[in-house]
Amino acid sequence: MSETNILSGKVVSDAVYTALENRITSLAHQYSAVPGLAAVIVGDDPASQVYVRNKTRRFLKMNLHSETIRLPEETSQKELLSTIRTLNSDPVFHGILVQLPLPKHIDTDVVIKAITPEKDVDGFHPENLGQLTAGNPRFTPCTPKGIMRILEHFHIDPSGKHAVVLGRSNIVGRPMSILLSQKQSYSNATTTICHSGTTDLRTFTKQADILVAALGVPEMIDDTYIKKGAVIIDVGINRVKDSSEKGYTLVGDVNYDAVQGIAHSITPVPGGVGPMTIAMLVENTVEATENVYT
Ligand code: NDP
């Protein structure tokens, strides 16, 4: 039985940060510009708090500017839109992210549309998603962009392969399927997208040379779903309650142990896709800053 390789997002993200250093220095020297991110968080969802903290920490570690705007759960949509308008016109911030999910009384689509597309470093604005679909992206959503980088870094060329994406959210699954099927190098895969309306998921997953699991269902994908030699990208970050000090363990959408020796390679959780999402957020914010000055 051959060993399953680990596709470390930590290793790839370190390479991204090293490559960004020159661009950041050059913005500072030429324009006295420091890329700045405003992160808006509404309410106190514990997972969202951790994600925002990890993102802003990385900005600070790279001597970039980052501010977190914390708003209470009961913030009205009007108040949130007003905060976004203020950030849109503040030149200190080149990127704005609104951490999802938002409280139920707020319409996420309206809020995302309110972010000026030039500062939408998450790439969720319909204008940016449209440009991505048309093959001319401004900002590509961070998680799928990071996954493409992982594939490239480990010389896994999707061209001519069958890629199966599980999940069709605008954040992960849908843009992932678009990126994998683009006519360009390290893409060009025959791509299938599956969702909760798919009848007999295994029919598709068992054909996958590259399987991207973005379901949000803890460890659902086991050895019965995969083909021998498949490359598995596990996007899921799920908190499973247990008796540990933290009270939970993070697991992916894939049963990591069950696919060992069958999959060619797999991204671990944590340490796989997660670090790349943050790295691509930094990269998109640097790009947004360059767009202002160059
Ligand atoms: P969503 O809940 O928005 O989307 C989940 C998708 O999976 C939907 O399209 C849904 O189908 C589909 N789905 C759910 N259950 C099944 C099932 N049993 N069979 C087939 N399809 C199913 O989640 P996200 O896309 O936002 O996130 C997915 C996962 O990735 C989560 O665990 C999230 O925490 C994680 N994540 C990780 C990131 C990272 O940096 N690593 C970043 C972002 C997300 P339908 O559309 O029909 O409802």
Side-chain angles (χ1 to χ4, degrees):
M1 193 167 70
S2 49
E3 212 173 292
T4 298
N5 301 308
I6 296 173
L7 305 172
S8 167
K10 169 85 180 62
V11 167
V12 189
S13 64
D14 284 345
V16 170
Y17 295 129
T18 303
L20 283 174
E21 273 167 19
N22 276 345
R23 290 166 68 180
I24 294 167
T25 306
S26 145
L27 279 166
H29 286 171
Q30 291 187 52
Y31 310 103
S32 301
V34 179
L37 175 79
V40 182
I41 180 161
V42 186
D44 41 31
D45 174 62
S48 294
Q49 300 283 345
V50 173
Y51 295 148
V52 168
R53 199 178 326 128
N54 289 344
K55 288 169 186 173
T56 52
R57 257 192 205 151
R58 173 54 67 173
F59 273 73
L60 299 180
K61 193 167 177 191
M62 299 195 69
N63 296 318
L64 305 179
H65 184 62
S66 168
E67 276 179 45
T68 305
I69 294 95
R70 293 178 196 283
L71 301 173
E73 179 84 20
E74 58 277 11
T75 302
S76 70
Q77 181 165 309
K78 206 171 157 200
E79 285 165 328
L80 178 56
L81 292 176
S82 158
T83 301
I84 291 171
R85 273 194 295 274
T86 306
L87 297 171
N88 280 344
S89 54
D90 188 337
V92 163
F93 300 116
H94 307 93
I96 300 169
L97 80 79
V98 176
Q99 186 63 41
L100 303 180
L102 288 167
K104 290 208 166 28
H105 64 276
I106 295 177
D107 185 334
T108 303
D109 290 345
V110 171
V111 170
I112 287 171
K113 265 192 213 154
I115 301 171
T116 187
E118 288 78 12
K119 293 191 178 187
D120 168 43
V121 285
D122 259 340
F124 298 161
H125 190 287
E127 187 178 309
N128 288 330
L129 285 175
Q131 286 199 199
L132 174 72
T133 309
N136 180 29
R138 181 195 274 134
F139 297 119
T140 301
C142 301
T143 302
K145 186 180 184 188
I147 292 169
M148 297 308 282
R149 289 292 175 81
I150 291 177
L151 295 176
E152 199 169 340
H153 181 96
F154 291 103
H155 307 293
I156 298 164
D157 188 352
S159 186
K161 307 249 168 61
H162 186 187
V164 176
V165 179
L166 307 181
R168 59 179 160 189
S169 73
N170 282 342
I171 294 168
V172 190
R174 180 90 57 198
M176 190 70 242
S177 69
I178 291 165
L179 289 173
L180 283 163
S181 62
Q182 278 174 332
K183 191 169 182 174
Q184 52 178 249
S185 73
Y186 274 93
S187 179
N188 208 29
T190 303
T191 306
T192 300
I193 183 162
C194 300
H195 41 73
S196 67
T198 302
T199 308
D200 192 8
L201 209 57
R202 286 185 182 82
T203 309
F204 302 97
T205 57
K206 278 182 152 301
Q207 292 177 39
D209 302 306
I210 298 172
L211 182 66
V212 181
L215 299 160
V217 184
E219 299 185 317
M220 177 176 140
I221 303 303
D222 61 16
D223 52 321
T224 66
Y225 281 85
I226 67 163
K227 174 166 104 172
K228 189 158 177 48
V231 171
I232 303 195
I233 305 293
D234 189 356
V235 185
I237 304 180
N238 307 292
R239 287 182 174 210
V240 176
K241 283 189 186 156
D242 63 15
S243 55
S244 68
E245 203 180 311
K246 266 192 194 166
Y248 65 88
T249 304
L250 286 185
V251 300
D253 288 345
V254 179
N255 185 328
Y256 189 84
D257 292 337
V259 304
Q260 292 301 316
I262 303 167
H264 169 272
S265 43
I266 184 167
T267 56
V269 177
V273 175
M276 287 307 291
T277 298
I278 298 178
M280 294 300 103
L281 179 69
V282 177
E283 187 177 280
N284 280 355
T285 308
V286 169
E287 213 164 289
T289 315
E290 290 168 342
N291 291 346
V292 170
Y293 293 96
T294 55

